[in-house]
Amino acid sequence: AQKVTQAQTEISVVEKEDVTLDCVYETRDTTYYLFWYKQPPSGELVFLIRRNSFDEQNEISGRYSWNFQKSTSSFNFTITASQVVDSAVYFCALSLNNAGNMLTFGGGTRLMVKP
Amino acid sequence: DTGVSQDPRHKITKRGQNVTFRCDPISEHNRLYWYRQTLGQGPEFLTYFQNEAQLEKSRLLSDRFSAERPKGSFSTLEIQRTEQGDSAMYLCASSNMGGSDHNEQFFGPGTRLTVL
């Protein structure tokens, strides 16, 4: 069975600080997909990124960057120069190639960015 | 905007009553998912449809739960004889199974159920 662990339940930073959200996953499958979603106070999950298990290239999108390392089964998410609007709960998720795409989510990390 | 919509947004019911939620996916999406999220936890998969066929059900989906997607468009999730443990946010998501089998899932705003 697959599992996603987000060890940081809550992080508090001051605006403009960089912050990294950790994600560790477990699966025996060799083909899988990793995701990050943002859940702002309004409640709606917003897709941020998808990565497949064969692509370990790191990705940068504006202030967001993702570090995928198969050797440590980690898919960490960094926000550079955090802003108050980044305050939300962030979820890491995993899906397998043969499981109908259903997502297995971690417990989430609540990020609070203070002005 | 033609995102995923869910109705109602909030539902308060008494224990033992039946409730039904509706989800309208993004129109061209052929896959529809239901998840449940309790306070402070990540969403948990309940079931999914490809077109009108229900292809997978989680063990979380007890006999009191039933989901349908009769015409491969909108879906309903019914909970019979609600229990206080059913209180949660019920999330619907849709995706398009196209060239890539893992197109991202787009989520609706959820239906928050409170069972008194």
Side-chain angles (χ1 to χ4, degrees):
Chain A
Q2 58 275 13
K3 183 179 178 182
V4 177
T5 302
Q6 295 179 255
Q8 305 150 308
T9 54
E10 200 167 293
I11 299 176
S12 181
V13 299
V14 176
E15 205 170 20
K16 297 184 184 178
E17 287 185 0
D18 298 348
V19 58
T20 295
L21 310 182
D22 297 334
C23 172
V24 174
Y25 62 92
E26 297 175 30
T27 179
R28 293 182 179 179
D29 285 45
T30 56
T31 302
Y32 51 87
Y33 298 79
L34 296 164
F35 302 78
W36 275 95
Y37 282 85
K38 175 181 180 179
Q39 189 173 42
S42 61
E44 193 160 335
L45 282 162
V46 177
F47 167 82
L48 295 178
I49 190 172
R50 179 189 72 227
R51 226 41 183 157
N52 73 56
S53 54
F54 299 110
D55 183 1
E56 287 192 71
Q57 189 173 4
N58 292 332
E59 183 159 339
I60 298 174
S61 175
R63 296 184 298 107
Y64 295 170
S65 62
W66 291 269
N67 185 325
F68 176 29
Q69 293 195 346
K70 287 179 75 170
S71 60
T72 55
S73 298
S74 66
F75 186 44
N76 297 337
F77 173 31
T78 297
I79 302 175
T80 303
S82 59
Q83 299 176 1
V84 173
V85 293
D86 295 328
S87 298
V89 181
Y90 291 86
F91 290 99
C92 181
L94 167 73
S95 72
L96 304 181
N97 194 43
N98 60 351
N101 299 22
M102 64 200 66
L103 294 167
T104 298
F105 284 87
T109 297
R110 179 177 298 279
L111 174 65
M112 292 178 291
V113 182
K114 299 179 181 178
Chain B
D1 188 301
T2 56
V4 179
S5 61
Q6 293 187 245
D7 183 70
R9 295 291 306 277
H10 304 273
K11 179 70 177 179
I12 300 174
T13 190
K14 293 182 179 180
R15 190 175 51 187
Q17 299 294 305
N18 299 343
V19 294
T20 300
F21 310 142
R22 175 179 170 126
C23 171
D24 287 88
I26 294 172
S27 59
E28 64 268 25
H29 284 183
N30 50 20
R31 284 193 171 177
L32 185 148
Y33 303 79
W34 285 100
Y35 293 84
R36 180 173 70 187
Q37 184 178 21
T38 53
L39 203 61
Q41 304 296 317
E44 295 174 294
F45 169 77
L46 293 179
T47 188
Y48 92 97
F49 294 83
Q50 183 163 314
N51 300 312
E52 66 276 8
Q54 187 174 17
L55 297 185
E56 185 105 13
K57 292 193 288 186
S58 161
R59 57 179 172 77
L60 293 175
L61 214 64
S62 76
D63 291 344
R64 297 184 297 104
F65 287 70
S66 62
E68 294 182 343
R69 193 182 184 198
K71 297 181 180 179
S73 56
F74 73 92
S75 174
T76 57
L77 177 67
E78 181 183 16
I79 309 175
Q80 296 182 327
R81 304 181 303 282
T82 53
E83 302 173 355
Q84 288 184 326
D86 296 331
S87 295
M89 176 78 86
Y90 290 84
L91 297 166
C92 177
S94 70
S95 71
N96 192 23
M97 181 185 166
S100 162
D101 196 29
H102 276 78
N103 289 344
E104 55 267 24
Q105 295 179 26
F106 293 88
F107 282 80
T111 294
R112 182 170 295 284
L113 172 66
T114 302
V115 182
L116 302 176

